[in-house]
Amino acid sequence: MSIVRVDTEAPQVAVQDVQDIAAKSGLKLSDQMATDYVTLVSGLEAVIASLPDDSCVIPIPDLAKYPRSDIHFPTDNDLGGWAAKVTAKCTVPTSNLLGGRTIALKDNIALAGVPCMNGTSMVEWTPKVDATVATRVMDAGGIIVGKAACENACFEGLSATAITGNVHNPWAHGYSAGGSSSGSGRLVGAGLVDMSIGCDQAGSIRIPSASCGIVGLKPTWGMVPYTGIINLDAALDHAGPMTRTVRDCALLLEAIAGPDSWDDRQALLDLDDRRLKFVERVDGIVSKPQSEMLSGIKIGVLQEGFQIDGQDENIVKCVQAAVDKFKALGAEVAPVSIPEHKLAPLVWMSSIGLSCGRQALLGGMEGRKQLYMTDRLALIGSRLTQQQFDALGPGAASLYLNHLWLSEKHGLVHQGKCMNLQKFISDAYDKALKQFDVLVMPTLPHPAPKLPEHRYEEGLLKFTMRTTGMIANTSPFDNSGHPAISIPVGFVPAREDANVRLPAGMQLVGRKYEDVDCLKVAAAWEKAYDWKILQS
């Protein structure tokens, strides 16, 4: 290791401290090595003490330009939808793209002065910064009206773990709104906000969107900056729009997409202005005669996406019927097999423990070039305390235990193997997408489940088993980074009660950075058919 500076005049650390730290890792230092290292580490401490404060580079918002008021925790959070309320807008917006629209932010997205709970009491943190997506919403004339509830540490697909309480499905009280962007799904689905921004690492935009009968887009990895948002895993992190219509989805994506100079997920993102203009091209599609809207578009029906273990036959019928309707819109529809699709969720499950446990729960982001929210990092140690662990829901607790297990039993070789397999799987989708413009499949294998009566008091295993297989069609595209949109295509009976009707979602997956293809195909279907009258 090259040394920039050795400061022999610096106050010397104790030899015993050096030896104790080495001993914690099972190392024994010779007396000479310990003495030599005292000089080196003393110089290191002196350099650390000499560094300037990083406040000069932290993007603290101009509160005169972006004022916020009425910050409070609502006594009525609308059946779990709200985490907090606020009114925040720009006094001099640069466009009217979102003029007057109301937007909720998932409660892992920073908005200065508003508590960011991340669905858990593990860390109590009020940000000093605004996430890039929040600033862009306000610059586009949108009004941020609150923080939407999210599941505990953003690691649940069932809306029963948020610190603010259960989040109920807008179509059926007592049923899940999906997760982890559960509040976003409920608030948009119930018409309480025009739009919301969710985040997705395994399906957390698309699961609540499919469950709540709304449109949700997980953009191409890196299309939307993740700056100022609590990470789960930088290789999986996506932020994107959740709206009632495809056009609104395109509108919000246009407002928040593009590089921001902070997020290294965007380091190679070099898109011209037209490729970041989504609304115009969506409008162009739906203005055509119905039979010509998708002329020249090739849609691949992903066979493995209809072969999920335990898949509800009503979901299969509903989505297949929706797929069949593309032919009347001028599209060419054909089956396609990608065997690697069945491997993808297994790789996701195997890989997240090491990286996601470290990043999501301990804040470790070494090697990434991005905004570090150091005030939050200061609240987390190198390991969770018992109190912090006990504050987690079943999914996040299982994640942390997996992190400890994989670190001890498998290590970095296993992590490297999973990352290599992710590339192998992504290449398989890319190969298919050379033949087709989009791939189509059910978003979820079954309708939203009923919420447990006593939240997660039933225990880790029973609670976790409620969502087994849920992410089989969603998590593969967090691994691969392809854009994926869920749109509602009808109602199906609840598994627990055939008299309860719940939304079913269809997922469209496109080529990387061609998010507009997903939007165009989705918009054409939405224009031609009213999903609310379609039932299995």
Side-chain angles (χ1 to χ4, degrees), residues 365-378:
M365 296 298 298
E366 301 90 347
R368 306 301 310 209
K369 293 184 177 180
Q370 63 175 57
L371 173 65
Y372 286 75
M373 294 174 285
T374 50
D375 54 340
R376 186 174 187 273
L377 294 177

Side-chain angles (χ1 to χ4, degrees), residues 295-437:
S295 178
I297 297 292
K298 295 182 178 181
I299 298 175
V301 184
L302 182 59
Q303 299 303 285
E304 288 78 9
F306 289 82
Q307 300 167 0
I308 307 303
D309 289 344
Q311 197 164 33
D312 189 300
E313 64 178 12
N314 292 310
I315 290 285
V316 173
K317 291 177 183 177
C318 182
V319 175
Q320 188 60 65
V323 171
D324 290 343
K325 296 180 186 299
F326 280 124
K327 297 174 185 177
L329 306 181
E332 180 182 331
V333 181
V336 60
S337 175
I338 306 176
E340 294 84 355
H341 183 71
K342 289 189 174 181
L343 174 63
L346 305 180
V347 172
W348 181 93
M349 177 180 174
S350 300
S351 66
I352 58 168
L354 277 173
S355 58
C356 197
R358 173 100 179 113
Q359 296 180 38
L361 299 178
L362 301 176
M365 296 298 298
E366 301 90 347
R368 306 301 310 209
K369 293 184 177 180
Q370 63 175 57
L371 173 65
Y372 286 75
M373 294 174 285
T374 50
D375 54 340
R376 186 174 187 273
L377 294 177
L379 303 174
I380 308 171
S382 58
R383 287 179 179 264
L384 296 185
T385 65
Q386 186 67 51
Q387 182 179 7
Q388 289 173 328
F389 179 75
D390 290 343
L392 299 176
S398 180
L399 170 66
Y400 188 62
L401 293 174
N402 282 347
H403 171 72
L404 298 177
W405 178 267
L406 291 169
S407 298
E408 182 69 25
K409 296 294 185 179
H410 296 278
L412 297 178
V413 172
H414 168 74
Q415 186 70 15
K417 176 182 178 180
C418 289
M419 296 304 291
N420 291 340
L421 287 172
Q422 284 185 17
K423 176 65 165 63
F424 166 70
I425 295 165
S426 180
D427 288 347
Y429 294 127
D430 286 339
K431 182 179 178 180
L433 286 164
K434 289 180 179 178
Q435 180 182 357
F436 297 99
D437 295 290

Side-chain angles (χ1 to χ4, degrees), residues 74-403:
T75 53
D76 176 4
N77 68 358
D78 187 67
L79 298 174
W82 295 106
K85 286 194 173 182
V86 63
T87 300
K89 57 185 179 180
C90 181
T91 57
V92 284
T94 55
S95 80
N96 197 42
L97 195 63
L98 301 177
R101 299 293 191 97
T102 56
I103 293 95
L105 304 177
K106 183 177 181 179
D107 196 29
N108 67 333
I109 300 174
L111 188 67
V114 182
C116 190
M117 293 179 285
N118 199 32
T120 181
S121 61
M122 190 195 103
V123 177
E124 294 184 4
W125 175 59
T126 299
K128 299 176 182 177
V129 300
D130 287 348
T132 298
V133 294
T135 303
R136 287 181 174 177
V137 161
M138 292 186 285
D139 281 340
I143 304 169
I144 297 172
V145 292
K147 305 292 289 296
C150 65
E151 296 310 298
N152 194 301
C154 292
F155 213 78
E156 300 285 356
L158 188 69
S159 60
T161 67
I163 189 174
T164 45
N166 284 355
V167 183
H168 293 264
N169 193 295
W171 294 95
H173 185 272
Y175 284 79
S176 176
S180 63
S181 306
S182 49
S184 295
R186 172 165 181 81
L187 294 174
V188 174
L192 295 166
V193 295
D194 295 320
M195 307 168 171
S196 186
I197 298 177
C199 302
D200 195 311
Q201 287 82 8
S204 289
I205 287 173
R206 292 159 290 156
I207 294 169
S209 294
S211 298
C212 295
I214 65 171
V215 178
L217 173 69
K218 180 202 76 65
T220 301
W221 184 75
M223 176 68 78
V224 173
Y226 214 76
T227 306
I229 306 176
I230 298 172
N231 292 84
L232 281 188
D233 182 338
L236 303 174
D237 290 329
H238 302 75
M242 299 173 68
T243 61
R244 280 190 291 282
T245 68
V246 176
R247 189 179 192 276
D248 277 356
C249 190
L251 197 67
L252 185 51
L253 181 64
E254 189 166 316
I256 63 177
D260 74 344
S261 81
W262 272 102
D263 188 346
D264 70 354
R265 301 166 185 81
Q266 303 182 291
L268 301 178
L269 187 60
D270 183 20
L271 302 179
D272 57 53
D273 286 344
R274 174 167 170 73
R275 290 183 70 187
L276 292 172
K277 299 294 184 184
F278 305 102
V279 181
E280 176 186 345
R281 286 184 281 175
V282 166
D283 287 346
I285 284 290
V286 299
S287 66
K288 295 180 179 180
Q290 183 170 309
S291 62
E292 300 175 13
M293 283 195 288
L294 296 181
S295 178
I297 297 292
K298 295 182 178 181
I299 298 175
V301 184
L302 182 59
Q303 299 303 285
E304 288 78 9
F306 289 82
Q307 300 167 0
I308 307 303
D309 289 344
Q311 197 164 33
D312 189 300
E313 64 178 12
N314 292 310
I315 290 285
V316 173
K317 291 177 183 177
C318 182
V319 175
Q320 188 60 65
V323 171
D324 290 343
K325 296 180 186 299
F326 280 124
K327 297 174 185 177
L329 306 181
E332 180 182 331
V333 181
V336 60
S337 175
I338 306 176
E340 294 84 355
H341 183 71
K342 289 189 174 181
L343 174 63
L346 305 180
V347 172
W348 181 93
M349 177 180 174
S350 300
S351 66
I352 58 168
L354 277 173
S355 58
C356 197
R358 173 100 179 113
Q359 296 180 38
L361 299 178
L362 301 176
M365 296 298 298
E366 301 90 347
R368 306 301 310 209
K369 293 184 177 180
Q370 63 175 57
L371 173 65
Y372 286 75
M373 294 174 285
T374 50
D375 54 340
R376 186 174 187 273
L377 294 177
L379 303 174
I380 308 171
S382 58
R383 287 179 179 264
L384 296 185
T385 65
Q386 186 67 51
Q387 182 179 7
Q388 289 173 328
F389 179 75
D390 290 343
L392 299 176
S398 180
L399 170 66
Y400 188 62
L401 293 174
N402 282 347
H403 171 72

